[in-house]
Structure formats: structure tokens, C-alpha cells
Amino acid sequence: MSATLAPPSTGGAPSGSGASGGRVRAALGHALRSREIAVAVVLLLVVAAATARNDSFLLSGDGWRDLLLTPSILLLLAAGQMLVIVTRSVDLSVGSTMALTAYLTGRLFIDQPGLPIPVVVLAGVAMGALLGVVNGVLVAYAGVPALVITLGTMYVYRGAMLSWAGSDRITADQMPKDFLSLGTSSLLGIPVLTIVALLVVAAVGYYLHTARSGRELYAIGSDPDAARLYGLKVPTRVLTAFVLCGALAGLAGVLHAARYGSVSSSVGNGIELQAVGAAVIGGVAIFGGSGTVWGAAIGAVLLVTINRALPILGIPEFWQRAVVGALILGAVVLDRLLAARRARRLDEERED
Amino acid sequence: MTPSPTTAPANPGGDARPVLEMADVRKSFGPVAALRSGTLTVRPGSIHALVGENGAGKSTLVKIVAGVHRRDGGTLRFEGDDVDFASTADSKAAGIAVIYQEPTLFPDLSVTENIFMGRQPLGRGRRIDRAAMLAETRAIFARLGVDIDPRRPALGLSIADQQIIEIAKAISLDARLLIMDEPTAALSGVEVERLFAVARSLRDEGRGLVFISHRFEEVFALCDEVTVMRDGEYVATTAIASTTPDAIVEMMVGREVGELFPKQPATIGEVVLKVEGLSSAGTFRGIDLEVRAGEIVGLAGLVGAGRSEIARAVFGVDRYDAGRVTMHGKPVPARRPRAAIAAGMAFVPEDRRKQGLVVDNSVAHNVAAVIRTRLDRLGFLTNRAENRASAPWAGRLEVKTNALDMPATTMSGGNQQKVVIAKWLATEPTLLIIDEPTRGIDVGTKSEVHRLLSDLAGQGLAILMISSELPEVLGMADRVLVVREGEITAELSRSEATPEAVMKAATAGHESTGELAPVLPDALMKEVSA
């Protein structure tokens, strides 16, 4: 059995006392095993391949801008989705939430001209958070699986948006120029939306790493029963995750309106699955408990970039979706294999 | 921490205010009274043993103290104050730590995080102070003399190490009452010694400890006082120094002879099940066994030794890496329970509520569940067909239920178990694998289950029975195979299978504890053979 209960002198491999060369090799090994870095490498390969075929993909001003700008909306959704998935839930309503807040943004500019832009942004975020409260309360307190609850609210929110907007379509000339420039302007060569998205990802990462409640989200996803035995406030934390996810979807809706200058009823159709896919590709365990927001973010960038790169690489349209699907399947299968191998190795270590 | 650490072992009857006082605590789950009169007084600076057979109500009592269950009545005082814990958070905040037999940790998180989850030390700006957390973990581990990397994930830790994590948690909480529910069941000798050293040092700091164990040599080596429970009731409390293992066993058992039903002799026939070299990494190795028609083979051993895992692998629920399973000489494919059923196997799992029974469904529904493909007509299954098929079985097993369409959840544990067995008998098996046949069943109806198994063996059924209750194994089995840490360490015929022989094979490797004291002394053996 385990050697750890034997007197320390007979303990196995001493940890942290290796030569510096060993440490470098260990660090390198760790980096190669890190999902974030693996996905980043794939991303670089995709960009390199697309650029080799058509150098304006990266090297033109527009190419560089699009590369950074296009993933920013999905980045926000993936960050929010990751918060929910890590607690062993899922939120399928983010696309509909985003559509509702995007339409709210346009409506506010039309109905309340002169409303300051920050107020409108806050209104969008607040609306998203409110929709997140509905999801969170139903999941955390009614005890119905999140998959079912948010599948329901996905349709309800989408229906509410359709009946509110009707055949109405909000166009760029109905929104203030300053607001629209948010969606296109850059700071030091980096689009403002990208900066916003990165700040959000950094904030979520910081929260998950340093706040007690952030760590508790991992604990709940890792073993909900143990979390209850530890006396953690499981429902409150799950609710928090859904509210944050909703708020980020709300922000994504506002920025969507700024970026594209128009809001139609199809905004965000199907994007919830991309958000889940991004998180999974980035190494967030679908059963909760592990993964990082950086992983989800880089997964989102890869997902968006690969969609843009495949046509350039001459892959027929039919296969483009299949490639994305294969990426998700590959990520999940890889996770299972790695987890099984790890468990087996730990078991064998114990046998010794 | 209590300001006045006592260095001397407890002085029962001393004037120290008890850490825990429980009197006449009651708890029922539906119709089953799990605890009728829970009474326990734990003094600071003492280790208090709580003993009793499986089902005596020890775990229920512990769960009430821990805030997992709420009591139906009786008094509960912690450090002199009346308390009523609504949750585990409440009891923890009060200063109570419980270490369960199977610790519940977060596999994905680091050892350090597992210790401090929910109460991590905070630095500036309410950020978790990881350095302080790591340092404190190292300090606790140094004190406990263990060498576990605080940064490794909890996934893959041995049970012993997981318990150390739980103890570290209790220390970091500064718990004044530490309850250990069968902590040694899955530990090796060295690990037990280490655990005891830790427990003694916690006692010497003036904390109160409760130690639940079936191993008397451990109780006598470690504890100061002992409280005996039987069938959910308090029996007695005495100082360890003034009692003997025999006296405790008498108090534990204290029931009339005849409640245990020994197996009737039956003609032993052909080999039905043959298992050769079955292995599964990390769980069990090189398992060879045979079960013949009319024979009951008992699989004995400590909880966690791998007995259930072997059964699950044989039945094809779990995978295995190597080995062969044959029924009547024909190989049974791995990982295919359907093929196992077709080959004549039936499997009654350990946790019948979760794995064996659809508790909200009717009795008829449950009985017919396995054979529904045989009952359906054009793909439709009627209640009438189900009732028709299940009635003879329920009658034969004397399932006491008013109507076959009553939901199974309204029945007692004994009757539920009979329904599960009925369900499998409807498939006309030649081998019955049954895991803990009488767990959670009150003493009165246990014998009915035993009689049923004996009858079935008499009719030529081969039975492989896993049981943690020694009297059950010794009373029922024609042959006893003892499993320890995933290997069969002894094969004992009915006449060789004494409590000492079984427990020795189940716990061997305890060299460090010196001479192995008889775990269940003569009193029980006499009862079994009576």
C-alpha cells in the first residue's frame, strides 16, 4: 500500500529537491501536458497554415484586426459558460440571453435618446444577470438538471425576444455613432472589444483563483456530495455561477449590437453550443471540477479562427462543420484517455 | 484549542465537563427505527469506543452528531450547550469533525485545498493566501509525521492517506470532538499504528475522540471507555480497564439463539461457476474460485478488501484485465451482464435501494423487470402479465406486502431484499451472487433471508455470498474464501472456518501490532455453532 504513512525517511521520490536540469525538464513536461498550451499550439498552426495560403489572413491590417476582433463575443460567452460547467452544470440559454440584451440595447437607444452609453451597457448586463437568476434559482433550488432547465429557458427567452421585436430590425442608423465605434475602434492596434473580453477573462480567472467562492465552484463540480458534507453553500454558489454567466451573456449582447450595428431576431442562434464547445476544447471537464477560464478562452479563439481559416485552406463547406465537431470529440476522447491513464498510474503507484 | 491539555489518559468519572452528551436520541427512516435510544457521553482527553454489530445504530448516531441527519427526539449537548445541528456546516462550526470510513474529498483539487476548502486563510483584499495555506498544511503534516505532497491532487490517494487528510482537516479546524467511523477498516498494520499515534496525541491535547471499530484488539489498545449498542439501543458504558472482549461481545450480541439460521445440509453437485486468475489493476489480483450447485460459498473480508469488486467483475458490470469466468464449463464474456444473465447468473447488489430495486415502482413491476422481454406480447407489457408472472414468486418468498402493486419503497428492508431476490429468481438462475444479503435488515427478518438462501441452495442453486458479518458467513457458508487487499488469502471449509481463522486471514499483515488478539472471541463462536 501507500508509502506515505511510513516514516518519512523511507518515503519515495523526494519532491522538489531535484537538480535544476530535472526541474526544467519537469516544467517542460508540465507545459506539454497543459491543455491551454496544447490548444494554443494548434491555434498557431491553424493561423500559420492559413497565412501561408493567403498572407492577408494575418499580415494585412484587416486580417490582424479580424483575427483579434471576431472571437471577442464568443470569448465572453465561453468565460461565463466555463463558470457554470465547472460546477457540473451547463447553460444553454446564453444565446437567447444575448439576443434579448442586444435587442434591449437597440430599443433603449431608440426609445430613450440621450441615455448615456455606460447606462445602456449596464442595463444590458443587468438584464443578462436577471435572466441568469431565473436559470440559477431553477437549477440550484428546484434541483432539476441544468440541461433541461436551460433548454427550456433557451426557448422561452428566444420566444420573448421574438414577440418583443416582432419583425422589427434595429439598424446602425438607429444607434449613436459613439456606441458603434466601440465595436470597431482600436487601442494601440488592439480592438477595444478584444481588450474588454480579455479583461473579463482575466477578472474571471482572478476570481476563480483567489476567491473562496471561486474555489468552491471547483469543489462543487468535483464532488457535489462532498461539498455538502463540507458545509459549502452549494445552491448559493451555483446560483452565483449562473448569474455571472447571464451577466456575461448580457455584456456579449450589448457588444454584439455595437460590433455589427444591427440586431435581428437571429442574433446568437446556436452560439450557446459554440460556447460549450469552446470550454470543452479548452480542457474544462464537462463533469465539472477542473479546467481554467484561460483554456475556455483559447478554445473560443481556436473555434472561431478555425471557422475562418478552413475556407481559405480550401476545405469544402460541408467538411468545415465536421472539423469543428471532430475537434470537440477529439478533446473529449483525449480527456477520457488521459484521465484513465492518470488514475491507473496513481493506482499503480499505490500498489508499490 | 482547549487551554488545559491533559497529558494523562482520561479519568472516567472525573469532573471534566463532557464534550458530548447524548441521551435517548431517536431517529427513524420511514417505518424503520434506526436509532431507538442513542446514549453516549464523551469526556475531553479521552478516546471513547463505540461498538456494536452492523446495524446497531452507530452510524446513525454519528450522522446525527455530524448534522447529516436530524434527530426525532432526545437530548444532544455539545460542551454543555443544547445543540441541534441543521447541517454539517453547523456541527463543524461548533467544533466537531467526523472521519468516515470512506473519506469524501474533492478528487480534482489539491490536498491543501481539500483541507481548507470553505475556510481558506485570507490575505489582503480577501484573497486566498496560498502561501499561508501551504505552510499550515506542511506544519500539520510535519506534526502528524506524514509525507504527502500538499500540492498533489486528492485523486488516487490511498484510503489511509485520505483519512490523514481528514484528520489534518480536523486539526486545522481545531475540532474539540473527533469522530472516526471505522477508520481502520481498510488500513494496513503500519497505517493503523500511525493513525493511533495521531489519535493519542489529539487525546493528550484534551480533545474528545470517538472511535468506532469492529476490531477488539484496536479498541483495547487505543480506547479509554467503551459504549456498546445493539439494535439501535444503548446497552452499557464501561471503562476499558475493567472489561474484557468476551464481556463486550456478550453485550453486543445478547440475543436469543435461533435468530441466526444455519444453512441446512444440501447435496453438493457439479461446478457451476469457475473463476480463474481474475485480475483488475488496483483492485484485485489472481482470483481463483469455484462454486458448486447446492453450495454456498462465503466471500469474507474487511470492507474495502475488494470483494464487491470481484463480484461485479464476475457478473460483467465492471471490467477486468486478465482471467477467465466460466459457467457450467462455458466461458462467459467480460463486461456483458446480459451474457452473464443468459449463462444463468443472478446478482443482488450491496445497495439494494440504489442498484437492485426501482423503489418507486410496484412490487410486480420490480419482479418482472428482468424478465420483461419474455413477458411482452408484440412489444407491449401489461400489468396483468406482470402480476401473473410475479405472484408465484412473491408468494413463495413470503413477501409481506398487501398487494403486488404497492410501491416497493413502503416495504421494510427485509421484504425489499426478498423482492430483489424474487426478481432474480424469475430468471431461473443457476448461480446467485449476493452482496451483503442482510445489510440494513433488522435482526428479526434477517433469519428469513437466511432461510430463503438455505432453501434455494437445497434446491440446487449455487450461491456466492459476500458478507461482512462474521456470524452470517460462518453460519451460512459451506466454504469460506477470505479476501484481503484484493487477494484470496485463505480457503476454509465449514469446520475450519472459526472466527479467529477468518479474521486472521482478513487482517494478516498486522505484524506491527504484535500478537493478533482474537477479534471475535469464544462467546460469538459458541452462538454461531449453536
Side-chain angles (χ1 to χ4, degrees):
Chain A
M1 275 192 101
S2 161
T4 48
L5 277 176
S9 59
T10 65
S15 56
S17 62
S20 64
R23 202 171 292 170
V24 168
R25 206 176 313 136
L28 202 68
H30 184 73
L32 286 178
R33 260 181 276 126
S34 147
R35 172 61 79 75
E36 290 81 356
I37 290 176
V39 177
V41 168
V42 174
L43 176 63
L44 288 179
L45 290 176
V46 168
V47 172
T51 309
R53 182 63 74 95
N54 177 353
D55 58 13
S56 70
F57 187 77
L58 175 66
L59 302 176
S60 68
D62 275 354
W64 169 250
R65 204 190 60 142
D66 284 350
L67 190 67
L68 295 178
L69 190 55
T70 329
S72 53
I73 304 270
L74 186 62
L75 263 176
L76 293 172
L77 295 176
Q81 192 66 254
M82 181 269 166
L83 282 166
V84 171
I85 292 179
V86 89
T87 67
R88 203 178 275 194
S89 282
V90 69
D91 186 350
L92 296 182
S93 71
V94 289
S96 304
T97 300
M98 188 177 131
L100 264 174
T101 55
Y103 188 73
L104 173 79
T105 305
R107 264 295 28 117
L108 283 177
F109 283 127
I110 295 165
D111 297 344
Q112 313 281 334
L115 209 60
I117 292 171
V119 172
V120 174
V121 173
L122 282 180
V125 173
M127 173 145 188
L130 195 71
L131 298 175
V133 168
V134 174
N135 286 330
V137 165
L138 287 171
V139 171
Y141 295 97
V144 186
L147 187 75
V148 183
I149 292 286
T150 60
L151 186 68
T153 54
M154 174 179 95
Y155 284 113
V156 172
Y157 296 169
R158 180 67 68 180
M161 194 262 181
L162 292 178
S163 71
W164 186 19
S167 58
D168 192 12
R169 185 188 169 91
I170 290 165
T171 51
D173 54 340
Q174 292 170 304
M175 289 188 276
K177 283 214 161 43
D178 287 349
F179 178 69
L180 295 175
S181 74
L182 241 176
T184 46
S185 63
S186 291
L187 206 68
L188 302 170
I190 301 173
V192 171
L193 287 198
T194 310
I195 294 175
V196 171
L198 289 178
L199 284 177
V200 164
V201 169
V204 170
Y206 183 79
Y207 164 73
L208 283 175
H209 192 68
T210 60
R212 275 185 186 171
S213 54
R215 298 313 300 168
E216 287 174 15
L217 295 183
Y218 281 94
I220 290 164
S222 188
D223 189 337
D225 293 332
R228 251 165 254 129
L229 275 181
Y230 266 68
L232 303 186
K233 296 176 194 141
V234 177
T236 315
R237 296 287 173 256
V238 171
L239 175 61
T240 308
F242 273 98
V243 172
L244 289 175
C245 180
L248 289 181
L251 182 62
V254 175
L255 297 186
H256 188 277
R259 161 98 168 91
Y260 296 98
S262 72
V263 180
S264 72
S265 59
S266 67
V267 167
N269 255 342
I271 202 167
E272 58 279 333
L273 296 181
Q274 286 189 49
V276 175
V280 170
I281 291 171
V284 179
I286 197 75
F287 290 122
S290 79
T292 65
V293 72
W294 299 109
I298 204 152
V301 175
L302 176 61
L303 207 56
V304 170
T305 307
I306 221 168
N307 269 323
R308 290 179 50 240
L310 290 176
I312 293 173
L313 294 172
I315 311 253
E317 201 180 344
F318 170 78
W319 287 105
Q320 288 169 21
R321 277 172 179 257
V323 167
V324 171
L327 207 60
I328 294 175
L329 288 177
V332 173
V333 170
L334 185 74
D335 277 348
R336 292 302 303 164
L337 289 178
L338 288 180
R341 220 183 71 178
R342 186 164 163 227
R344 199 155 270 252
R345 206 189 58 227
L346 288 167
D347 267 349
E348 277 162 13
E349 262 172 33
R350 212 172 61 206
E351 295 273 298
D352 296 337
Chain B
M1 202 170 290
T2 316
S4 59
T6 19
T7 40
N11 51 340
D15 49 16
R17 184 182 64 179
V19 185
L20 178 76
E21 287 171 274
M22 289 178 95
D24 282 325
V25 171
R26 298 184 300 280
K27 177 74 194 174
S28 297
F29 299 99
V32 183
L35 192 59
R36 278 184 268 235
S37 70
T39 298
L40 179 64
T41 302
V42 183
R43 288 166 218 289
S46 79
I47 305 180
H48 198 115
L50 185 59
V51 301
E53 285 197 307
N54 289 340
K58 297 166 298 187
S59 291
T60 309
L61 184 144
V62 166
K63 283 183 174 159
I64 287 170
V65 179
V68 177
H69 297 321
R70 276 183 112 149
R71 64 185 193 274
D72 298 336
T75 55
L76 174 58
R77 280 199 203 99
F78 182 65
E79 300 197 309
D81 302 322
D82 280 304
V83 286
D84 182 19
F85 300 127
S87 71
T88 50
D90 283 2
S91 75
K92 211 197 272 189
I96 296 172
V98 181
I99 296 168
Y100 298 98
Q101 194 178 328
E102 297 275 335
T104 42
L105 298 176
F106 302 112
D108 301 296
L109 302 186
S110 75
V111 163
T112 305
E113 287 211 272
N114 266 287
I115 294 174
F116 288 96
M117 182 53 67
R119 36 183 202 86
Q120 297 95 332
L122 298 179
R124 266 188 311 142
R126 293 188 56 74
R127 280 180 303 171
I128 292 173
D129 188 343
R130 283 174 184 259
M133 196 158 86
L134 195 62
E136 201 174 328
T137 305
R138 290 220 162 96
I140 294 171
F141 282 174
R143 205 182 115 193
L144 296 177
V146 292
D147 181 30
I148 303 172
D149 180 359
R151 283 171 301 193
R152 64 158 289 162
L155 181 76
L157 281 176
S158 69
I159 299 275
D161 287 351
Q162 292 183 37
Q163 283 171 344
I164 292 292
I165 308 302
E166 295 276 4
I167 290 175
K169 205 159 79 186
I171 292 174
S172 79
L173 261 169
D174 195 22
R176 265 119 342 126
L177 177 67
L178 180 65
I179 302 176
M180 299 188 284
D181 191 351
E182 291 197 50
T184 58
L187 303 196
S188 71
V190 188
E191 292 166 333
V192 169
E193 284 299 304
R194 175 53 52 102
L195 181 72
F196 283 9
V198 170
R200 288 191 188 101
S201 81
L202 295 176
R203 172 190 66 190
D204 294 345
E205 289 171 3
R207 303 173 207 262
L209 283 87
V210 175
F211 177 73
I212 298 178
S213 177
H214 285 300
R215 300 183 184 166
F216 284 167
E217 84 267 31
E218 294 176 357
V219 168
F220 279 80
L222 181 68
C223 301
D224 305 305
E225 289 177 276
V226 57
T227 289
V228 181
M229 293 183 71
R230 183 176 67 226
D231 303 339
E233 294 193 33
Y234 169 82
V235 177
T237 300
T238 54
I240 284 287
S242 61
T243 188
T244 63
D246 279 346
I248 293 180
V249 167
E250 232 156 86
M251 288 191 276
M252 270 170 61
V253 181
R255 66 169 76 113
E256 288 104 57
V257 180
E259 283 179 23
L260 285 162
F261 189 91
K263 181 187 183 257
Q264 302 302 304
T267 339
I268 309 287
E270 304 269 283
V271 172
V272 176
L273 171 74
K274 192 172 170 77
V275 174
E276 292 159 284
L278 205 66
S279 298
S280 171
T283 320
F284 52 82
R285 287 168 300 282
I287 301 299
D288 296 312
L289 61 88
E290 266 183 20
V291 187
R292 291 167 176 273
E295 186 184 38
I296 298 183
V297 173
L299 219 44
L302 301 175
V303 172
R307 295 166 304 165
S308 301
E309 290 75 7
I310 294 170
R312 288 170 59 84
V314 168
F315 189 64
V317 186
D318 291 348
R319 59 186 296 284
Y320 51 86
D321 304 320
R324 227 158 73 95
V325 176
T326 49
M327 284 286 287
H328 304 286
K330 290 194 205 97
V332 180
R335 291 233 46 187
R336 285 181 55 205
R338 258 169 193 276
I341 293 171
M345 281 195 214
F347 179 50
V348 177
E350 185 173 6
D351 185 344
R352 64 183 163 271
R353 292 184 70 86
K354 263 194 203 153
Q355 301 172 358
L357 200 60
V358 187
V359 284
D360 296 325
N361 277 2
S362 74
V363 173
H365 222 69
N366 268 297
V367 172
V370 195
I371 50 164
R372 52 183 33 165
T373 45
R374 252 188 265 159
L375 293 181
D376 67 356
R377 188 167 289 165
L378 306 171
F380 291 99
L381 191 66
T382 60
N383 279 341
R384 245 184 58 193
E386 282 188 342
N387 274 329
R388 215 172 35 231
S390 49
W393 295 109
R396 189 168 144 200
L397 302 182
E398 300 170 23
V399 174
K400 291 189 191 94
T401 179
N402 298 334
L404 287 170
D405 49 12
M406 289 231 317
T409 183
T410 58
M411 296 187 304
S412 73
N415 278 323
Q416 285 185 5
Q417 183 68 301
K418 288 188 192 170
V419 170
V420 177
I421 296 174
K423 161 178 129 176
W424 283 108
L425 291 183
T427 67
E428 291 163 22
T430 50
L431 170 76
L432 174 67
I433 304 174
I434 188 159
D435 195 353
E436 302 290 1
T438 59
R439 167 160 299 175
I441 294 175
D442 48 294
V443 183
T445 45
K446 271 184 185 178
S447 58
E448 291 182 32
V449 174
H450 290 155
R451 194 174 63 204
L452 172 63
L453 292 178
S454 175
D455 286 350
L456 293 171
Q459 290 158 27
L461 188 68
I463 299 179
L464 181 62
M465 178 184 79
I466 298 168
S467 174
S468 299
E469 296 186 36
L470 211 40
E472 183 167 276
V473 175
L474 301 181
M476 295 297 298
D478 295 299
R479 244 174 344 116
V480 180
L481 302 175
V482 186
V483 182
R484 174 168 60 84
E485 287 171 19
E487 287 178 80
I488 293 183
T489 50
E491 176 170 353
L492 305 165
S493 69
R494 196 176 175 84
S495 56
E496 294 166 334
T498 61
E500 289 85 355
V502 173
M503 288 314 290
K504 196 157 187 168
T507 59
H510 282 220
E511 301 87 358
S512 57
T513 53
E515 193 91 350
L516 188 77
V519 173
L520 283 175
D522 293 341
L524 193 54
M525 207 174 93
K526 276 185 221 126
E527 194 213 22
V528 169
S529 50

